[in-house]
Amino acid sequence: MKKLFLILPVVALLTMAFIPDGGNGKDGKKVPAVTLKDMQGNTINTADVKNDGKPIVINFWATWCKPCKQELNAIADLYEDWQDETGVKLIAVSVDDQKTTNSVEPYVNSTGWEYDIWMDVNGDLKRAMGVNIPPQTFLVNGEGNIVWSHSGYVPGDEEELYDQILAISK
C-alpha cells in the first residue's frame, strides 16, 4: 500500500508534464516538430505551422470516432464566422491508421469541411502531443504557444473553444 502512495504522485507528475497548462499559456509549450502529410500528399513540418499571428486550433480526430465527427461538424457550421471575427485557422489531424486512412478523404469531401487536414497515420504527432483518445483539441496562440486543450466532446464544447479563441485574439 505504501508503494501505491509513492507511485501515484509520480504518475500524476508525469501525466501533467504532457498536458498543456489548461488555459493560462504560461508554460510556452510549442507544437512539436513532426513530419506529416496533408490530404493532398504535401509534406508538413508541424513545428512550422503559422497563421500570421492569429490563433490556430489543432483538433485530433478519426473517421471511426463519432464524437470527433460531431465536434468538427458543429465547428464547421460556425467556422466561417469564427474566421471573419478572429482569423482562426483549424487543422484537423486525422489519427486514422493504415486500415482506415483511405476513409479520410471521402469523409472530408462529403462534409465540405474547410479545414486543413493532416494525416498522422503512424500517430507520431498524437504521441508527441500526449493525445490518448480523440477527440482532443489544442489552441495555439499567435506566438505559437499551446495555451489551452480539451479532451472529448459534448454538444456546446465548441462555444467554450470559441470563448478561448476570442480571449487570445484581443
Side-chain angles (χ1 to χ4, degrees):
M1 189 69 165
K2 284 183 178 180
K3 287 182 181 180
L4 182 62
F5 286 111
L6 293 174
I7 292 172
L8 284 177
V10 171
V11 170
L13 287 173
L14 288 173
T15 302
M16 292 176 66
F18 294 102
I19 297 173
D21 62 353
N24 62 20
K26 293 179 181 172
D27 68 351
K29 289 185 180 179
K30 302 281 186 183
V31 176
V34 174
T35 301
L36 299 178
K37 299 275 186 185
D38 65 13
M39 212 165 64
Q40 291 73 40
N42 301 309
T43 301
I44 297 161
N45 181 341
T46 58
D48 294 338
V49 63
K50 295 189 177 21
N51 188 25
D52 295 327
K54 297 174 182 160
I56 300 171
V57 173
I58 299 175
N59 179 284
F60 287 83
W61 74 287
T63 56
W64 44 262
C65 172
K66 186 176 178 180
C68 300
K69 295 186 289 187
Q70 289 174 325
E71 180 175 38
L72 289 171
N73 287 330
I75 293 171
D77 292 340
L78 308 165
Y79 189 53
E80 187 175 334
D81 292 337
W82 290 10
Q83 286 186 303
D84 290 345
E85 294 178 34
T86 66
V88 68
K89 173 182 187 177
L90 192 145
I91 300 167
V93 181
S94 167
V95 295
D96 284 271
D97 61 14
Q98 294 290 345
K99 294 177 185 171
T100 58
T101 195
N102 289 337
S103 303
V104 173
E105 187 170 352
Y107 183 78
V108 169
N109 290 340
S110 74
T111 62
W113 290 347
E114 297 294 326
Y115 313 135
D116 290 359
I117 307 292
W118 292 355
M119 310 297 280
D120 191 16
V121 177
N122 296 322
D124 296 336
L125 184 60
K126 178 181 150 190
R127 278 189 300 281
M129 293 186 75
V131 174
N132 292 319
I133 300 172
Q136 185 156 355
T137 304
F138 295 88
L139 180 60
V140 179
N141 69 13
E143 291 79 42
N145 296 313
I146 299 170
V147 295
W148 181 84
S149 74
H150 181 81
S151 296
Y153 175 74
V154 293
D157 281 351
E158 64 275 9
E159 294 166 18
E160 181 183 356
L161 173 60
Y162 184 62
D163 289 343
Q164 296 295 325
I165 293 168
L166 281 177
I168 65 169
S169 296
K170 296 178 182 177

